[in-house]
Amino acid sequence: MQRLSFAAEATEEACDAMLAPPVGGARHYLSNTERTWKFSVLMNHDMITNEKLALVGNCESLGNRQLSDSVLMSKDEDEDSNVWSVSVQIPRERSTEYRYFVCALDPDVGKPIVRRWETHLQPRQILELANEPPRQCYDIFGSLNGSEKVDRGWLSSERIVQLKFFNAPFIWKQRMKRRLMYVKVTPMNLRIPSNGLDNNMIACSISPLEDSLSNDTHDTKENGGDGGTAFAFSEVVVLNAEDSVIRPQSQFGTACGFDDLVIFHLTVGDFESTAYLIDLYTYSSKANTDDPPHHLGYHYVLPNLFKSSEGHLEVAITCASRHRPLGMMQFGYLIVKPVPSLNMDMSISYQRYWNDKWQGLDVGHRGSGTSFKANASSIRENTITSLKNAADHGADMVEFDVQLSKDLVPVIYHDFMIYVSLKSKNSLQEHDFLALPMRELTLEQLKNLKVYHTAEGQSREMRSFSNDDLQEHQPFPQLTDVLDAIDPHVGFNIEIKWSQRLQDGTMEEEFEHVVDRNLYVDCILDVVFRRAGKRHIVFSCFDPDICTMLRYKQNRYPVMFLTIGVTEKYKRYLDPRGNRIETAVFNSLAMELLGIVAHTEDLLRDPTQVNLVKNRGLVVFCWGDDNNSKDTIKMLKDLGLHAIIYDKMDVLASKEIKQSVFLLQAKDSQKELLKLQALEMGKMWHPSTQSSFNKA
């Protein structure tokens, strides 16, 4: 048996030796509470270099669900066999739960990377006292009780680097403008070996490569070979109806045409020591079908060019044959890091789970609704009181907005800008207001200043709310307080606020974040994982890169992509992924999100888009002012939406029983449990059983 933890390695032969008698000593026997079990699994998914199968479970010998102490499996010696196996001691008198997963071991870092894992809600199980299956019987990876559930992993020690090539981002001389380019990205190793500089090593002063048809001919090996490539997994996804799945790159790259949205998805073990070779290829119009493409040019991107977690680069393309500038290319990048404070186990995942009974859920928008528009709620939005009021009137979930104060505390508030004044001021003139970005104020300042919503500051019409002096009516409640204060059976739709660049080049609400994306998301996830308990939580965001971060930084909660779609009410974003429902679907499939939150204006324009989403296996919520109508809510539920986000739950909800679906489901489960207990008690006191007791 071999643990994934390098600190405690042991081969299967060594494990067997521990059961054999030592020389000159007594034989060691298994404890009466343990038994040896041979796990065997058929791997019918493609695997690439450096990927191996492993095993994790709920007992000490299977790592107690921890990735670091999981058990590595061995492939059977038969070359044609795809069966992997390992023998492990497991408890005899209690059930053992376990999952299989595909991993990779970074030899330099010494930590495992989860590539894919089984995510059935109920893991595999070996019942107490069960007999070991016959040797020819085995599990099938990903398949359990007729259900196929395999998801990509999450970040443990590695990083994800995404390079985004949208709409042919190349700047050429006139003769090259119509050429279709194929792009391949290869991570390259910058480390200098202990015995000196290897001839194949790519150092900081990288010399141009000789003209070649593919990086595959540069005397390197994919995914951590003996050449200059780094220990990394180099994959790509094209966001379109035919693809939208992250997969290994082909030998001569991926087409990046004018209508293509291409994301290179690179999983890197040692970020600081990895550069990225970008090769460009093109096919001659006169070439035969089997002819290879022409290697047009290349560029090396060094890690020091990534100044923050996200940004854009404009780099020169070096001609492959003449080694001189040929043109320019522009692309976006995203760096996703693991959350330092989280130690994710492999007990369960809800990332792509949605119960069939959860249909047409009622979601309270900012709690009881927007409070600074015409006919708005009489309760201040995004407060504990507003959220409780929605829950009291039957909300299945409440939706609210989370952003960070200056001292990095997650608080609930919608707008990026606020208007402030001194609390001592009873009457206010125009010069008494000060407009500030919320990010510039600490939590203490937010609580002590008299704060007005952006709509109030701009109109100078102050809203007064009942009981406004009570604590639960105050704006800017902390996320920790909300998680503690609201009934745990009420679900949360937590929208992460992040301003984006608009299509005209300006920033949303003229607000630009100064906090690094990774740190921003980490602060929110840290609070959720410390305080959420068993609450049903869904994350959402209009920014697709924040959605990607939320997906890969944790393995527990689902993520949904908020979209504006085709709209006349809002300006379009520069990033094209959220401007159409169809594109949002492709991005959600590629990043393995739960689904999308569509703008109802777009759904009313074309209701068939609901089926476009659902037919691809995604969940669909909707948002927007159009939802604030009983007739529209009913129509949307009839269309089959999974949830509708709207204001004034106390007025518009049609529920007879004012309780969340999760509470009703918990009550039903409790009833079933009581029935089973009553049945067991009935068996115990059945006359035939009682007579046996009397005889005894």
Side-chain angles (χ1 to χ4, degrees), residues 189-205:
N189 193 352
L190 293 174
R191 286 190 302 272
I192 299 176
S194 57
N195 59 349
L197 182 63
D198 189 292
N199 290 332
N200 292 321
M201 196 63 63
I202 306 298
C204 290
S205 55

Side-chain angles (χ1 to χ4, degrees), residues 43 105 131 142 162 166 169 191 255 278 280 531 616 652 676:
M43 185 59 184
L105 297 175
N131 293 323
Q162 289 191 344
F166 292 171
R191 286 190 302 272
I278 302 177
L280 272 66
R531 306 297 277 268
R616 301 301 291 266
L652 299 176
L676 288 173

Side-chain angles (χ1 to χ4, degrees), residues 373 564-572 599-602 604 623-628:
K373 292 183 179 179
I564 58 170
V566 178
T567 176
E568 297 179 359
K569 297 180 181 179
Y570 301 97
K571 294 181 179 179
R572 293 168 68 85
H599 189 190
T600 301
E601 178 191 358
D602 200 5
L604 295 177
W623 68 279
D625 292 339
D626 294 295
N627 290 352
N628 297 324

Side-chain angles (χ1 to χ4, degrees), residues 308-376:
S308 63
S309 292
E310 52 85 27
H312 288 81
L313 295 177
E314 181 174 313
V315 299
I317 302 168
T318 301
C319 179
S321 57
R322 300 182 181 180
H323 309 307
R324 66 185 185 188
L326 186 63
M328 303 288 292
M329 56 183 167
Q330 302 168 330
F331 54 88
Y333 70 84
L334 175 70
I335 314 296
V336 189
K337 305 175 184 178
V339 184
S341 63
L342 297 187
N343 179 28
M344 306 301 305
D345 65 28
M346 302 179 75
S347 57
I348 198 166
S349 175
Y350 300 104
Q351 285 198 322
R352 290 205 287 177
Y353 171 76
W354 192 259
N355 194 308
D356 292 338
K357 296 179 181 178
W358 301 343
Q359 299 286 333
L361 302 192
D362 298 288
V363 183
H365 180 224
R366 305 183 198 176
S368 297
T370 305
S371 57
F372 298 98
K373 292 183 179 179
N375 301 316

